[in-house]
Amino acid sequence: MPRIPRLLAGMALAAAVLPMVPVSPASAAPLPCRPGSGPKLAGRDLTRAALPADLSCADLRGATLDGLYVRVPLDGADLRGASLKGTHLGNAQMAGARLGKADLSEAELYYADLRGADLRGATMDDSSPYGAHLEGADLSGATLTRAKAYSAQFDDAKLVGADLTDADVYGADLRRADLTRVKAPKARLYGATLIKAVVRRADLRDAQLYEAVMDGADFRGADLGGADLRNVRGAHLAGSRGVPKDLPAPGPACEAGEGQHYAGWDLTTVTDFPDDLSCADLTGAKLDGLNLGSVKLNRAILRDVSAAGTTFRSLKGADLTGAHLRRAVLRSADLTGANLSRADLSEAEIGSSTLTGATLAGADLRGAEMTSVTADQADFTAARMDRAQLGSGRLRDAVFRGATLTDANLQSAELRGATFQDAEVTGLQADYAEDADLSGSTSRLGAGWFVFFGITGLIVFLIVLGLVVRGTRRRKAVRKHLAERAVRFEDARRAQEENVTRLGEEIDTVADRTGEVDWNAALDAYDAAKEALATARDMSDLQDVGTIVARGRKALSRRR
């Protein structure tokens, strides 16, 4: 290849006259030349060519180097769009190289020096940059699916939108790296250093992040659903999305709200919760129907959560103010010191639970099953406890001031020191209750009497209603009968009116033919029939009209 010596000479000359160009980071050595000013090999297929001894700053845009063993320096080389599939670049010197949109799939890049390199949009699927130096490199939009980048140095690197799906990045140094919108589902990042890294809106679902160091890392908007975060250090995951599979155990003295933030989230589709969500913020979260019996929620914030029918066990010191817990299952739960003010616990199962020192002021406990609870010093002020079952419970020094205990059950309960001032205890069952002092409470008429008077009133009402209905029916029947009789009378009257008219016509006919009939009797009968018809008021009057007409007709047939 006769041109190679001339190219090398030109490169040496350029190195002598061109200014030194520094690269980022500051730790990277300055380039000896301007990128692209070296050997001009753009677009060349070099798979069978003998490479120059030095390709620093070479113009290799679009060149093909697939499968080659490259041992020559490539610092500052312009390899944009080049094909390096399966190329052996182990320990390669490529600081400041331009590899935008280059194809490095399956390339061996172990311990390569790529400090400050431009790898934007590069394809690095199945590549092996383990132990590589990528400090300050720009890998924005690059794809590294299944890449072996463990123990690599990514300090200050940019991986915005990069694809690390199923990649091995464990033990890598990613301090101050920009991982915004990075796609890393199922990636192995355990033991990685993420100090002050930006991981906003990243996809880390099912990723392995255990024992990673995360001090100062920003995870806002990152999806951590199913991620393994055991034993991580310095994690502050506020603003992240998704529920990790495993989380570092919160400190025994953590403050409420210091844990995970799931305020307002709908978690009803989550199937695998961490074992410990103590001190988490779940304000207004939707938890309906979930089984959280194995999840610790001590000192968690659960204000206004929707958890109808949800199972809980560990809620020590939790804040459940205004929580919707209708028919929730809290059997044998630890609610020591919990705040359940204004919570809806109607028909909840709280039997054998510990409510010592808990606050239930204004809570709705109607129909709740609370048999054998331990609720010493619990505050039930103004709580609705109608039909609540508290039999055999221990309620020493509990406060029921202003509570409604209508038809509640406190049989065999320990009530020493319990206060019932202004409580409504109508129908309260307190048989065999120990040290029960209901002084200051009020009791209205028993529910049994209300039932009795209610039934009696209902019977009287039904009787009166029956009489009214019967009278109404009778009046309707009378009106119907009168109407029918009026119709019959009118029909009969018209018939008699026609009868009288025909009599008059018969009289006229007979009078025209002969004077031998009893003329006066016939006329008298006709006049009488008309007068009787005019004054007829009932069927008997109409019968009289018929009789008179018959007498007139008889007179017409009788000779004088």
Side-chain angles (χ1 to χ4, degrees):
M1 298 178 66
R3 287 192 178 184
I4 296 301
R6 291 199 297 272
L7 289 173
L8 290 173
M11 184 182 66
L13 178 61
V17 299
L18 290 176
M20 307 294 273
V21 181
V23 296
S24 178
S27 59
L31 295 179
C33 50
R34 179 171 55 83
S37 61
K40 307 299 183 184
L41 299 168
R44 297 277 298 275
D45 184 351
L46 303 172
T47 55
R48 296 186 180 181
L51 297 179
D54 193 343
L55 287 173
S56 297
C57 299
D59 183 358
L60 291 158
R61 288 173 296 170
T64 302
L65 296 96
D66 298 336
L68 288 178
Y69 282 83
V70 180
R71 295 289 181 264
V72 299
L74 285 161
D75 297 315
D78 191 344
L79 289 148
R80 286 176 291 176
S83 180
L84 296 129
K85 291 186 287 187
T87 303
H88 298 268
L89 292 159
N91 296 292
Q93 300 174 38
M94 302 177 73
R98 296 179 178 179
L99 290 148
K101 296 187 178 180
D103 189 348
L104 290 153
S105 55
E106 300 183 19
E108 293 187 3
L109 291 157
Y110 50 85
Y111 304 113
D113 183 357
L114 286 156
R115 289 174 294 172
D118 182 356
L119 288 147
R120 289 176 293 176
T123 300
M124 299 177 70
D125 300 335
D126 299 296
S127 63
S128 304
Y130 56 84
H133 286 272
L134 288 148
E135 295 96 324
D138 191 346
L139 294 102
S140 299
T143 61
L144 295 99
T145 58
R146 299 174 302 280
K148 296 176 178 60
Y150 49 84
S151 301
Q153 301 293 313
F154 289 96
D155 310 44
D156 300 292
K158 287 184 67 176
L159 292 103
V160 178
D163 191 344
L164 291 162
T165 301
D166 202 25
D168 286 307
V169 200
Y170 53 84
D173 195 335
L174 290 149
R175 68 187 71 208
R176 298 180 302 278
D178 189 349
L179 295 153
T180 302
R181 298 191 308 279
V182 74
K183 303 178 186 69
K186 298 184 179 179
R188 289 162 287 283
L189 287 145
Y190 51 84
T193 300
L194 290 156
I195 295 173
K196 294 185 179 180
V198 178
V199 201
R200 293 187 185 182
R201 302 189 299 282
D203 183 356
L204 292 162
R205 290 172 297 167
D206 301 311
Q208 296 179 19
L209 287 154
Y210 57 86
E211 298 182 357
V213 183
M214 300 179 172
D215 299 84
D218 184 354
F219 282 88
R220 283 178 289 179
D223 190 345
L224 293 162
D228 186 344
L229 291 159
R230 290 171 296 163
N231 302 318
V232 297
R233 288 185 288 164
H236 185 67
L237 306 176
S240 62
R241 300 184 296 112
V243 180
K245 179 181 178 181
D246 294 287
L247 282 167
C254 66
E255 296 293 330
E258 285 184 353
Q260 292 299 96
H261 285 220
Y262 302 117
W265 287 24
D266 183 348
L267 300 171
T268 53
T269 59
V270 178
T271 57
D272 197 356
F273 280 86
D275 294 335
D276 199 337
L277 283 173
S278 295
C279 299
D281 185 354
L282 293 125
T283 303
K286 192 171 182 181
L287 305 166
D288 301 286
L290 292 174
N291 186 349
L292 299 174
S294 61
V295 180
K296 290 182 180 179
L297 288 159
N298 299 327
R299 298 180 302 286
I301 300 175
L302 293 146
R303 288 192 291 262
D304 300 312
V305 297
S306 180
T310 304
T311 299
F312 293 100
R313 286 291 180 276
S314 188
L315 291 161
K316 188 175 182 179
D319 185 353
L320 291 136
T321 303
H324 303 280
L325 297 160
R326 181 176 174 80
R327 293 186 180 144
V329 180
L330 294 132
R331 287 190 296 266
S332 303
D334 187 355
L335 289 151
T336 304
N339 188 350
L340 290 146
S341 300
R342 304 190 311 280
D344 181 359
L345 287 153
S346 55
E347 300 181 42
E349 299 180 31
I350 319 176
S352 302
S353 293
T354 302
L355 288 158
T356 301
T359 301
L360 295 103
D364 187 348
L365 289 155
R366 288 177 290 181
E369 195 286 301
M370 303 175 68
T371 306
S372 300
V373 296
T374 300
D376 297 340
Q377 296 92 42
D379 185 359
F380 294 96
T381 300
R384 293 291 304 275
M385 304 181 73
D386 310 68
R387 305 179 308 283
Q389 302 297 312
L390 292 114
S392 303
R394 200 176 80 180
L395 298 141
R396 298 171 184 173
D397 300 311
V399 178
F400 293 93
R401 187 176 291 109
T404 304
L405 290 148
T406 304
D407 297 323
N409 183 357
L410 281 165
Q411 291 179 327
S412 302
E414 296 183 43
L415 297 168
R416 188 179 63 204
T419 303
F420 288 86
Q421 186 69 34
D422 299 321
E424 171 60 58
V425 296
T426 301
L428 175 66
Q429 301 174 49
D431 302 337
Y432 309 110
E434 182 181 329
D435 299 318
D437 182 2
L438 302 179
S439 58
S441 63
T442 60
S443 179
R444 294 175 286 104
L445 193 62
W449 286 105
F450 278 109
V451 173
F452 170 76
F453 286 127
I455 293 174
T456 302
L458 180 61
I459 292 172
V460 172
F461 171 75
L462 291 174
I463 291 172
V464 172
L465 180 63
L467 292 173
V468 170
V469 170
R470 184 177 179 183
T472 302
R473 288 177 177 174
R474 182 178 295 174
R475 286 193 294 275
K476 286 183 179 179
V478 169
R479 285 197 296 270
K480 182 178 179 181
H481 175 70
L482 291 175
E484 291 175 349
R485 191 169 68 176
V487 171
R488 290 197 300 272
F489 174 78
E490 189 60 29
D491 291 343
R493 187 180 183 285
R494 282 196 294 271
Q496 291 298 341
E497 187 177 12
E498 293 176 359
N499 205 12
V500 172
T501 300
R502 284 197 299 273
L503 175 62
E505 292 173 351
E506 290 172 4
I507 291 173
D508 290 342
T509 301
V510 174
D512 290 341
R513 293 180 180 178
T514 178
E516 296 180 355
V517 299
D518 191 346
W519 176 261
N520 290 329
L523 288 175
D524 289 342
Y526 177 69
D527 291 337
K530 288 196 296 181
E531 184 178 352
L533 181 63
T535 59
R537 294 290 180 271
D538 53 32
M539 297 298 288
S540 62
D541 293 341
L542 293 176
Q543 289 176 356
D544 292 342
V545 173
T547 301
I548 296 170
V549 170
R551 189 170 64 239
R553 286 197 176 99
K554 188 175 181 181
L556 287 175
S557 62
R558 187 174 61 244
R559 300 294 179 179
R560 282 193 290 178

